[in-house]
Amino acid sequence: MSNRFTKSALLAGTFMAGAMIATPVVAQEAAGEAAAAEDEGFIVVTGSRIARRNVETAAPIAVVDAAEFSLSGTVNVENVINTLPQVVPGTTSFSNNPGNGTASVNLRGLGATRTMVLVNGRRWMFYDTNQITDLNTIPQFLLESVDVVTGGASAVYGSDALAGVVNFRLREVEGVEIGGQYSLTEQGDGARYQLNGAVGSSFADGRGNVTLFGEYYNREEIFQGDRTFSNFALGGSPLRQLGSSLPPETRLRYDGDGDVTGTSFEPNSNLAIFGSPGSLRDYQTPGDLYNYAPVNYLQLPQERYMLGGNARYEISDALELYTELAYINNRVDSELAPTPILVNTFLDIDSLVANGFIDAATEAQFRDLDASETGADQNNGLIDVQVRRRLEEAGGRRNLDERNSFRIVTGARGQINDYLSYDAYYMFSRTRNSNIQQGNASVSRFTEAINGTGATQINIFGAGTLTPDMVDVFRIQAQNGDISSIEVASASLSGTFGDFALGAAEPIAFAVGVESRAVSSRFIPDEFLASGDVAGFNAGEPTEGSYNVKEIFGELNIPFETESGMRFEVNGAVRYSDYSLDTVGGVWAYAGGVQFAPIPDVTFRAQYQRAVRAPNVGELFQGTAIGFPGATDPCAGVGGATPTGGLLATCLANGVPAGNIGLQQDPSVNRNQVIQPDGQIATLFGGNPNLTEETSDSYTFGVVLQPSFIPGLTITADYFDIVVEDAISTVSLQTVLDICFNEIQDLNSPTCRNFNGTRDAQGAFGRDNPPVLGGANIAEISVSGVDLEANYSTTIPFSLLTDSGEQMLNLSFLGTWTETSDFAPIQSDPTNVITCAGEFGLTCGEPTPSFKWTSRASFSDGPLTTSIRWRHLSAVDDDTDAADNFVERIDAYDLIDLTLSFDVNERLTIAAGINNLFNTLPTTPQFDAAGNVINDTNTLLLGDFNNGEQSNTYPSTYDVLGRDFFASVNFKF
């Protein structure tokens, strides 16, 4: 074959190299072992330790070739992984709030904790108490391929592989490779650049190899204010500018029993604001809301250093030693608007006057209120208020995560005889995260400083009134730490029972082994965060825990083949795990699969898997931490409706004053802002040491078509059905609110009990005693659908750059139809099931389109490759029945990407491309003087206060950079 087909051959494998691969899920062995097996006509595919001649196995595997990363201009692996139809985006480079500076993979939407991530067939490293792998730690430039296995895989991998497995296979290097890439958006911001290098050499007549590598990567920030669609926090229907009720001018709510008549508190439900320093006026909604959006990151900045290497040396056929080393330093910032602080306290009128903090008119209002109060409060010189302020003078809230990760693998493998081989290794990895937070405030110090009980009184009565010395009274810098480690010792024996075979097939093969794992993790919060005496970033208590597991496993493959080519194959796998956790103990995982090929052109396959997942350290031992999830309080009147009937009775019993029912300051906000001032509600989260294991049952049925009468065509279709029972779930606040107040309506029930005593005097959920949500084995998660892959390669009779008069065309398609994606918060209640297939929103989260696909057409004309990629998401609907959001349906979404790659010679390749060629983005809103959106907008512009996640959309699913350019160069010598 001529050299002109080399690049196209790679492209042909981009999505379909593994279209027919499917196995009883055990990991791919390291590249060296696979190569050794291939020398004898056998290969080891991801999903099995058994070497075999046939790559067609029982469970579907999608394979992404390294060419896809270079053609898409991707440096971080998350950017390709999240385009796969099997994946619902997890945490990404656009996850600022919520976000933690990492990138995760979430197969089938079942959660990152249920997705196993491997590198060269072995566990990699995790970064926190939830035992999730950060994809930022994987060297993209050394990838040979990425294998995505559908369905539970615990029978061979052990815990975590409920949704499936993502195996990153790294290659060895011969010679020296140096590369670099630069990316920039059309608006000239968000620059990303990477420099990488690797050197490798074989020695001892190829019996050994050493590869060393290094990388530097830098990504610059983009603020939400740098894009017109995210510059304002939007909400309501129709859309309008909204924001936070904690403004830099200071908002007061009068909480005393005095007469507000004639004061600034009268017009708007006891609310007032300092319109100018020291001067109080009535609070206006939405005009006085604070626009927090522009100073939030849209794209998080990142800086990464990576060093590593691997080596192997074959002493004899019976002994090959190998090792892998990796060190990664990764720094990611997130930045939010300045700290919002809310305290319930009192104001000393005399001290405010003496310090000149308020003017005469404001003093008169305070005196009148004090005089009209009753009992001991009358004329005591104090008034009770709730203070809400945005601490702009203290600067933005900056959160720097610096993670240092280290991993080492050392092992031995070899042939015992002609029929048996072994592999034994030890792996240790450790990640330490230093988290530095700037812009926090001590709640106690702030409170004492405004009510006059502290050593220094501060002036919060107007925008810009806090001096640097005043800020120093309450501002704190917090530093937290995470330390996580995993140890694995594993040994396996694989081979055949001599030459015993059925028919013309290869011999019956097996693998058996033992494994021991130990995991531990700690979260060490700053003293202020641990005490809860903090405003800004969320407080949290220390977390520390560990456990170990000892396992035995086995696998069997029985093929049968006739001389005519008819083939039948049965395989099975089993694993027994004994956990040190008393609540888990000993558990079994097992799998069985079958394949049938009546003719070489057609193969039918099916598999069943029982998988388990033990709870992670965070789920078991996490200290109480506060969060602020987005939710709508049913007592605040969803969609502006006034609660009635059983809902009204439950709200009143929960502490909502009858006089506040039905109040609505601004109809466009779609809720009662007295009972719920903000779109986020303070909530406490914590671990549960009584958790048990999760279990899943997964079924796959498929067909592989390779028609001999259409050379170059491969089509696979696989149906999958995965059900996770006893799922560990901290049910979302929105779900619990809906179940408690709209369905159960009994505050004594276990579901509702944690809402008792959590509302303040106005009926709003307060921050002093927020509701508590904890994990439990109570949920069921299920997903089903069909994966379809197609690949076709052929030559076309046209060429500009070769003398052959032809070039190669490759067409590839990888798509998923999601039939169901269901979540039952309480698995014993079949009437309460949340359906998320084809939906998005406050309950389902990231959009889960019914149809998602990625396809590519590549033309290789000698040294020039022209490639076009088409990414598609079908339309999705809001997950609530009430039509109370501006956008109830996000239209179908399509992106086109273009890449050109040119092989200057055998040593130099240059490439350039454009992602999002047609600049598909949320519409730029146009506003009238009142902040109302007056132009027609597309359905990507949702609004943070409606059903968007952040930046008024879902930035991890829908592109927010716009037209994006990249160029790369790679040298090999």
Side-chain angles (χ1 to χ4, degrees), residues 545-662:
S546 63
Y547 61 83
N548 61 73
V549 56
K550 295 177 174 57
E551 301 175 315
I552 57 173
F553 57 86
E555 183 183 353
L556 183 66
N557 189 65
I558 306 174
F560 168 76
E561 189 170 344
T562 66
E563 295 293 340
S564 64
M566 184 184 74
R567 182 179 177 88
F568 185 80
E569 187 171 344
V570 177
N571 55 63
V574 64
R575 175 178 290 243
Y576 177 76
S577 305
D578 184 17
Y579 285 86
S580 62
L581 299 168
D582 292 337
T583 55
V584 178
V587 293
W588 290 91
Y590 40 88
V594 61
Q595 302 162 78
F596 174 59
I599 58 174
D601 294 15
V602 180
T603 299
F604 300 97
R605 60 190 181 190
Q607 188 176 60
Y608 164 76
Q609 296 254 10
R610 161 57 66 93
V612 297
R613 182 181 81 88
N616 58 50
V617 172
E619 291 166 331
L620 289 165
F621 309 116
Q622 178 183 323
T624 302
I626 192 169
F628 295 88
T632 299
D633 183 353
C635 298
V638 177
T642 299
T644 59
L647 173 57
L648 174 60
T650 307
C651 293
L652 294 175
N654 195 219
V656 178
N660 286 350
I661 295 291

Side-chain angles (χ1 to χ4, degrees), residues 403-711:
R403 291 185 170 90
N404 288 282
S405 303
F406 171 78
R407 177 179 183 265
I408 182 170
V409 175
T410 180
R413 59 195 170 208
Q415 295 292 125
I416 298 175
N417 55 35
D418 290 342
Y419 303 107
L420 296 176
S421 63
Y422 69 93
D423 185 0
Y425 70 90
Y426 169 79
M427 186 274 283
F428 173 80
S429 71
R430 182 176 185 266
T431 299
R432 182 175 188 128
N433 179 38
S434 176
N435 171 253
I436 300 175
Q437 300 175 353
Q438 297 176 345
N440 282 329
S442 164
V443 176
S444 62
R445 294 178 184 178
F446 180 82
T447 304
E448 293 171 353
I450 61 175
N451 63 25
T453 60
T456 302
Q457 193 162 13
I458 62 175
N459 183 5
I460 63 165
F461 305 100
T465 54
L466 289 168
T467 66
D469 288 341
M470 291 178 180
V471 170
D472 289 341
V473 171
F474 59 81
R475 181 171 55 189
I476 56 175
Q477 175 173 294
Q479 182 164 343
N480 309 312
D482 293 271
I483 303 174
S484 301
S485 66
I486 179 172
E487 292 181 87
V488 178
S490 179
S492 62
L493 179 71
S494 62
T496 66
F497 300 98
D499 293 321
F500 180 70
L502 301 178
E506 64 271 21
I508 296 173
F510 71 93
V512 294
V514 296
E515 184 167 301
S516 174
R517 292 193 308 277
V519 298
S520 65
S521 190
R522 298 174 62 194
F523 168 63
I524 310 164
D526 182 275
E527 60 175 320
F528 283 100
L529 272 73
S531 69
D533 182 24
V534 63
F537 290 100
N538 298 339
E541 296 179 353
T543 298
E544 182 172 4
S546 63
Y547 61 83
N548 61 73
V549 56
K550 295 177 174 57
E551 301 175 315
I552 57 173
F553 57 86
E555 183 183 353
L556 183 66
N557 189 65
I558 306 174
F560 168 76
E561 189 170 344
T562 66
E563 295 293 340
S564 64
M566 184 184 74
R567 182 179 177 88
F568 185 80
E569 187 171 344
V570 177
N571 55 63
V574 64
R575 175 178 290 243
Y576 177 76
S577 305
D578 184 17
Y579 285 86
S580 62
L581 299 168
D582 292 337
T583 55
V584 178
V587 293
W588 290 91
Y590 40 88
V594 61
Q595 302 162 78
F596 174 59
I599 58 174
D601 294 15
V602 180
T603 299
F604 300 97
R605 60 190 181 190
Q607 188 176 60
Y608 164 76
Q609 296 254 10
R610 161 57 66 93
V612 297
R613 182 181 81 88
N616 58 50
V617 172
E619 291 166 331
L620 289 165
F621 309 116
Q622 178 183 323
T624 302
I626 192 169
F628 295 88
T632 299
D633 183 353
C635 298
V638 177
T642 299
T644 59
L647 173 57
L648 174 60
T650 307
C651 293
L652 294 175
N654 195 219
V656 178
N660 286 350
I661 295 291
L663 293 179
Q664 193 159 3
Q665 301 155 332
D666 182 0
S668 69
V669 180
N670 290 331
R671 69 170 187 271
N672 181 326
Q673 290 180 277
V674 175
I675 296 176
Q676 188 178 348
D678 298 296
Q680 296 175 314
I681 297 175
T683 308
L684 291 175
F685 301 88
N688 180 359
N690 298 315
L691 293 172
T692 63
E693 75 278 4
E694 299 178 340
T695 61
S696 77
D697 295 292
S698 58
Y699 301 85
T700 59
F701 307 92
V703 61
V704 180
L705 303 176
Q706 289 181 296
S708 56
F709 53 89
I710 309 179

Side-chain angles (χ1 to χ4, degrees), residues 191-256:
R192 287 137 285 153
Y193 51 91
Q194 178 206 43
L195 297 173
N196 63 75
V199 57
S201 177
S202 295
F203 57 92
D205 297 325
R207 290 186 294 119
N209 179 275
V210 175
T211 297
L212 302 175
F213 63 86
E215 182 219 44
Y216 174 76
Y217 173 67
N218 188 290
R219 181 178 67 214
E220 295 182 359
E221 74 277 359
I222 300 176
F223 284 94
Q224 286 184 210
D226 295 328
R227 295 294 183 271
T228 53
F229 62 83
S230 57
N231 187 46
F232 289 95
L234 303 177
S237 182
L239 285 176
R240 66 186 307 178
Q241 295 174 8
L242 293 176
S244 168
S245 65
L246 294 97
E249 298 86 355
T250 298
R251 191 190 89 169
L252 298 181
R253 185 187 72 197
Y254 175 61
D255 286 344

Side-chain angles (χ1 to χ4, degrees), residues 13-68:
T14 296
F15 287 116
M16 296 301 299
M20 305 183 325
I21 298 178
T23 65
V25 249
V26 181
Q28 170 88 16
E29 295 303 311
E33 181 179 353
E38 288 173 0
D39 289 343
E40 301 176 8
F42 288 84
I43 63 172
V44 179
V45 297
T46 295
S48 179
R49 285 182 170 87
I50 297 176
R52 64 190 75 202
R53 289 193 178 94
N54 197 317
V55 300
E56 301 173 17
T57 52
I61 299 178
V63 177
V64 183
D65 194 273
E68 180 63 21

Side-chain angles (χ1 to χ4, degrees), residues 331-348:
R331 295 163 57 95
V332 181
D333 276 340
S334 61
E335 184 150 344
L336 309 179
T339 289
I341 191 165
L342 182 156
V343 296
N344 296 302
T345 185
F346 60 86
L347 299 178
D348 185 325

Side-chain angles (χ1 to χ4, degrees), residues 4 21 37 145 356 515 533 620 712 722 726 734 783 806 851 917 927:
R4 68 181 184 274
I21 298 178
S145 68
E515 184 167 301
D533 182 24
L620 289 165
I722 305 172
D726 297 325
Q734 186 67 67
V783 61
E806 61 183 17
F851 295 93
L917 183 63
F927 304 100

